[in-house]
Amino acid sequence: MKRYLETGNFAITEGAILAGCRFFAGYPITPATELAEAMSLRLPQEGGIFIQGEDECAAMHLCIGAALGGYKAMTATSGPGYILYADPYGWAIGCEIPLVVVNSGRVGPVSGITGAPGQGEFYLTRYPTQGGNFETIVLAPNSAQETMYMTVKAFYLAERFRTPVTILADQLITDGFEDISVPENEGEMKEMGFEVYPRRVNNGPVFYPPTDEIDIPPVVLGKNTGALCSDWTPTEEGYDIEEVEAHHKHAYRLIYKVRNHRDLVEDLYEKTHMDDDPDLVVVSFGTPSRVVNTAVKKARAEGLNVGALRLRHIWPFPDELFSTPRKYLCVELNWDGQLVREVQRAAPKDAEVHFTGICGDLPSIADLLETFTKILQGKALERQGWKMEAW
Amino acid sequence: MDYLANKYLRFRKTPSTACTGCGLGINHKAVLQAVYELGLEVEDVVWGTSIGCAGRQTFGMWKGDGFAGTHGRVYAIARGLRLALPPEKKIILTVGDGDAFGIGLLHLIHAARSNADLTVVVNDNLGYMSTGGQYGWTTPLGTRTDSSPYGMYEQNLVREGMDVLGVLQHAGATFLARHVSMDGSRATGSIKKAIQNKGLSLVHMIYPCPTNFGSRELGTRDALSIYNWIRERSAPLEKAGEDTLWATGVYHDASNSRPEFSEDILKNVEKIRRAAAV
């Protein structure tokens, strides 16, 4: 095992290589550029290919083409680029193409603040393309080391579910320097929980089974299997068709192959002080969760009955974690509150769901402690101008 | 076309659902004839298509492996695929004019810049006929469509000095030709050269659309009228006059003159990998 003081981008690059990724296409955008640069340096050393696309749309399509030819492929971008992935994302979902997509979140909308972290793409990762009728898988790391693990996991899930998988990080994770351990052999990989799933070839003629079955080999072109895939609603053999019944079958598969096999994803929760039924549960993902954890531990020391729940995967959404009618507080790196809406939907009617958000910077522990106290005392969260909006 | 259909096309997808009198089938046959005359088998080719009339009608017809990309993006997909396939495997893309010269032009230019070994056959029915008949980027000036009811007055990409083939030549394409559907063996000859070029080749093929273009511009869906209308406006390059809209033949042949995209990249990757292994 080798230790480095390196960034999350380094961790993603090494994780991808360990997972068998040998193709990366991207388009420069802060703060995801460094990941593309790291890939351009490392991939050729491993016999892999780096390509800079003419735009984001091309970058993801290049990955799709390479994946269709049998490569494990990855791309990375930030919010303004992620929205340009909408077109190829839909194609990859519909054609069931395994792919890993990294979104290093920054402040938006549009260009916003290029060099500050944000979590404005919570919902965009759930609905990354038009048309609906699908489910997505999104992982949300909160450290460089975990980012490497999740990159390997993302490739594993992409292959088994035959779908693109998003890693929703933020700028603090991808650009921040941390202590990182990289496994050097299979034994060390196993020890660290890294599991690699091989690329397989669909030998046709069936393009998809109209069931929720997973572990179906993906379409690989060039093997003369007669494989077909397109942007139109497919028949089970892959032909284009304009019939609602065929679409229903295809949509059923795209939704339920993920929902009905959530056990493959669901080891990804982190609970802090949750064993004694806390009065207030603080919910977060990504880097804010690190501050939340410290604040919750501090609150406990001060006698507040608070627990923390960190979502390490955010889609499919873990509704069951919010079945207890109690007080919830969502802490997010945005002003508008996105995770909170989903928690409110999943929580029972008599639960209290609160939100506090800050964009471009992490919340302070002092502010969080004050917020915990107010909620526990039943006081309303005061509006403090633009600083903190009661949701 | 029986021998070509039996050898190369899926029975499930034939006959196509193209409109009566559509010229797309003639273009499609010219491509298959070229493939046949080059002695290629089903397993030698991966066939890509796009959207619109050309995409919908040619998707899945090839017996072998095939795909249809989203609007204008097929060139980026094909470049990615090119990197993954063995160099001897041919990638043939039958696309439409809107896909190639409108929404996909940026990607096409970069396919030309990088000289990716792709054969692009642009089936041009002079506008967006699949969506009902709106003007496109090669719609002749003055002609009426659903979105140019007063006659097309926007500058387009087939005018002197603004020819899209010139744009692609300057972008680095290594084989460029233009034909109309009725060119027969001349068109097949150009497509053969296109397939043989190890680089980005594009053959622009004008074809008649009686249903939309013909009915709007000529006031009739009679197939013969639009066939004659196109024929009267086309001539071989050496015989082209001032009234010629489509001069036909090979515009630019720099076949095999530049390094090919995927071979070049894989060569460099191999060099770096070896250096890293030392």
Side-chain angles (χ1 to χ4, degrees), chain A residues 158-328:
Chain A
E159 292 298 329
R160 294 201 67 180
F161 285 101
R162 245 176 50 154
T163 193
V165 173
T166 294
I167 297 171
L168 183 61
D170 61 63
Q171 188 232 1
L172 288 167
I173 297 164
T174 55
D175 288 4
F177 281 78
E178 290 190 81
D179 183 17
I180 299 167
S181 299
V182 181
E184 290 185 281
N185 52 52
E186 278 186 25
E188 287 178 359
M189 281 181 70
K190 213 170 171 187
E191 205 178 300
M192 292 172 76
F194 291 7
E195 206 172 339
V196 175
Y197 207 77
R199 205 64 223 274
R200 292 155 309 147
V201 177
N202 187 328
N203 288 316
V206 175
F207 167 58
Y208 78 90
T211 66
D212 63 358
E213 211 177 329
I214 58 168
D215 295 333
I216 306 291
V219 164
V220 175
L221 300 177
K223 307 283 184 195
N224 199 35
T225 57
L228 287 179
C229 59
S230 79
D231 46 325
W232 296 292
T233 289
T235 63
E236 289 164 47
E237 297 84 19
Y239 297 105
D240 54 317
I241 192 165
E242 299 219 354
E243 281 179 14
V244 172
E245 195 185 331
H247 190 269
H248 186 198
K249 283 184 188 174
H250 189 224
Y252 174 83
R253 169 158 181 75
L254 296 183
I255 297 164
Y256 290 98
K257 71 174 176 180
V258 176
R259 288 190 187 166
N260 289 354
H261 294 93
R262 285 176 47 167
D263 53 310
L264 282 178
V265 195
E266 278 182 359
D267 60 324
L268 295 170
Y269 305 120
E270 186 179 81
K271 297 173 178 177
T272 308
H273 294 303
M274 286 293 291
D275 296 338
D276 56 353
D277 194 21
D279 298 328
L280 171 65
V281 170
V282 190
V283 191
S284 60
F285 67 95
T287 38
S289 65
R290 295 169 70 154
V291 186
V292 165
N293 268 6
T294 309
V296 164
K297 284 173 189 164
K298 214 161 179 208
R300 281 276 170 163
E302 290 177 13
L304 300 176
N305 192 15
V306 183
L309 197 54
R310 198 238 316 179
L311 308 187
R312 296 170 73 202
H313 82 84
I314 54 177
W315 304 110
F317 197 75
D319 285 26
E320 66 283 358
L321 293 179
F322 306 98
S323 56
T324 310
R326 58 179 152 209
K327 293 179 177 181
Y328 294 97

Side-chain angles (χ1 to χ4, degrees), chain B residues 1-75:
Chain B
M1 192 156 169
D2 283 355
Y3 66 102
L4 293 174
N6 284 331
K7 187 171 171 62
Y8 294 123
L9 300 186
R10 286 176 207 250
F11 289 110
R12 166 76 188 265
K13 290 287 285 187
T14 48
S16 87
T17 51
C19 304
T20 307
C22 173
L24 187 61
I26 310 174
N27 288 8
H28 199 181
K29 181 183 176 178
V31 183
L32 293 178
Q33 186 70 35
V35 168
Y36 178 75
E37 289 180 16
L38 289 173
L40 296 171
E41 300 296 329
V42 169
E43 61 268 26
D44 297 328
V45 176
V46 173
W47 198 294
T49 66
S50 58
I51 49 145
C53 299
R56 198 74 194 236
Q57 302 309 327
T58 56
F59 170 66
M61 289 193 97
W62 181 250
K63 251 182 199 169
D65 299 357
F67 66 99
T70 54
H71 312 62
R73 317 303 177 194
V74 70
Y75 322 100

